[in-house]
Amino acid sequence: MKVRVDTDLCAGFGICVGICPEVFELHDDGYATVLVSEVPPELEELVRRAADQCPTQAISLIDDSSA
């Protein structure tokens, strides 16, 4: 699975960082960035939860298992 943050939608709430700091961090500009190119399997559920709880729906998940 891959994940990305739409910087046009991100408002810097940091909920994703609180849920999964291994994958997300707040950049110097105050918006979330993704730290990994591929989400490790053991963190996928946390990343899904972060996406679900993002107030601005800025987090997109790309499930590459169908590719």
Side-chain angles (χ1 to χ4, degrees), residues 6-39:
D6 184 332
T7 55
D8 291 332
L9 294 176
C10 181
F13 288 101
I15 293 170
C16 56
V17 177
I19 293 172
C20 193
E22 301 87 350
V23 173
F24 302 99
E25 75 174 355
L26 289 183
H27 195 266
D28 293 339
D29 61 6
Y31 299 105
T33 59
V34 177
L35 299 172
V36 299
S37 57
E38 282 285 325
V39 177

Side-chain angles (χ1 to χ4, degrees), residues 35-65:
L35 299 172
V36 299
S37 57
E38 282 285 325
V39 177
E42 66 272 13
L43 297 176
E44 286 183 4
E45 184 57 37
L46 289 174
V47 171
R48 288 183 200 283
R49 189 178 317 151
D52 289 343
Q53 293 187 21
C54 179
T56 60
Q57 302 296 296
I59 301 171
S60 300
L61 305 176
I62 300 102
D63 186 2
D64 52 7
S65 66

